[in-house]
Amino acid sequence: MPKIIGASLEEHRERTRDKIFAALAELLETQDFETITFSKIATAAGVGRTAMYNHFPDRETLLVEYALHETSDYIAQLRAGVSDSASPREAARAYVRTQLELNVSFHMPQSMGKASLTESAAERMREHVLLIEEVLRTIVRDGVARGDFAADLDIDATVRVVNSLLVGSTSRRFSPSALEDFVLRGLGARV
């Protein structure tokens, strides 16, 4: 019988999943997801191969769950970065700065994007992008409601464009203050 790690079965499951996610992250740094097997992950995580199937029915589910797991920490940091803002304008500036800071310290391995996923798994992978976008969408809605931003903004399109700009490697070519001003102008705020 395997040894339970943690004070409860629930804690054991969480710790095992964390070990699996950490092992997957390490493997993704050097290998394409398509070449990573459950056996490789189990060995790197120090868990039995059957434990992999107890947590994830297949590799695709593992990849989606890993992306959502990583995104939850990212979103917590993003929300913390904008939480002290006194206005939507300040929150938009803080959002830009925080996104740029997180892009330096946090990244999804490129090899994840090369995974061939079923349509339903690809849709679930997009969920993590929508969760991140929701932070900015809330700021923009508040700004429109307060009159800080243009009333006729297409909020969804604007959020996608701003996030595409900030998440891409192109954003590193510009100073944070220049990007903050650019985003505010795009939102219809005076700079």
Side-chain angles (χ1 to χ4, degrees), residues 19-45 47 49 52-53 56-64 66 108-117:
K19 286 170 67 172
I20 292 169
F21 288 150
L24 177 59
E26 189 175 304
L27 291 168
L28 284 169
E29 291 299 324
T30 59
Q31 301 173 43
D32 287 341
F33 179 72
E34 297 299 327
T35 67
I36 300 173
T37 63
F38 265 20
S39 293
K40 285 181 182 179
I41 299 166
T43 299
V47 300
R49 206 174 128 220
M52 297 293 299
Y53 290 98
F56 309 99
D58 53 51
R59 291 172 56 252
E60 190 172 77
T61 301
L62 168 61
L63 184 64
V64 170
Y66 169 72
M108 290 283 192
Q110 293 287 1
S111 58
M112 279 182 57
K114 297 176 185 173
S116 57
L117 301 173

Side-chain angles (χ1 to χ4, degrees), residues 68-79:
L68 293 173
H69 170 77
E70 292 296 299
T71 299
S72 66
D73 184 50
Y74 188 94
I75 291 170
Q77 292 180 55
L78 196 54
R79 286 185 176 138

Side-chain angles (χ1 to χ4, degrees), residues 4 27 42 54 63 79 95 125 141 156 162 170 176 184 191:
I4 302 294
L27 291 168
N54 289 336
L63 184 64
R79 286 185 176 138
Y95 182 87
M125 283 292 277
R141 280 188 191 128
D156 289 331
V162 169
T170 306
L184 284 173
V191 177

Side-chain angles (χ1 to χ4, degrees), residues 32-185:
D32 287 341
F33 179 72
E34 297 299 327
T35 67
I36 300 173
T37 63
F38 265 20
S39 293
K40 285 181 182 179
I41 299 166
T43 299
V47 300
R49 206 174 128 220
T50 54
M52 297 293 299
Y53 290 98
N54 289 336
H55 293 271
F56 309 99
D58 53 51
R59 291 172 56 252
E60 190 172 77
T61 301
L62 168 61
L63 184 64
V64 170
E65 292 296 319
Y66 169 72
L68 293 173
H69 170 77
E70 292 296 299
T71 299
S72 66
D73 184 50
Y74 188 94
I75 291 170
Q77 292 180 55
L78 196 54
R79 286 185 176 138
V82 302
S83 66
D84 292 334
S85 302
S87 70
R89 287 173 56 96
E90 284 182 28
R93 284 190 181 279
Y95 182 87
V96 170
R97 282 191 310 277
T98 305
Q99 275 281 30
L100 295 174
E101 291 165 8
L102 288 173
N103 283 342
V104 170
S105 64
F106 178 94
H107 69 285
M108 290 283 192
Q110 293 287 1
S111 58
M112 279 182 57
K114 297 176 185 173
S116 57
L117 301 173
T118 63
E119 189 173 320
S120 89
E123 185 64 34
R124 287 215 48 225
M125 283 292 277
R126 283 190 284 279
E127 284 177 29
H128 85 276
V129 174
L130 296 175
L131 292 170
I132 292 168
E133 286 180 349
E134 191 56 35
V135 176
L136 179 58
R137 189 172 284 109
T138 299
I139 293 168
V140 174
R141 280 188 191 128
D142 291 348
V144 169
R146 283 184 46 162
D148 290 351
F149 305 145
D152 61 346
L153 270 181
D154 180 338
I155 294 174
D156 289 331
T158 302
V159 166
R160 284 192 300 272
V161 168
V162 169
N163 274 330
S164 294
L165 169 68
L166 297 176
V167 173
S169 61
T170 306
S171 64
R172 293 185 191 112
R173 290 192 235 159
F174 304 99
S175 73
S177 62
L179 286 169
E180 290 171 26
D181 289 349
F182 181 81
V183 167
L184 284 173
R185 282 187 191 99

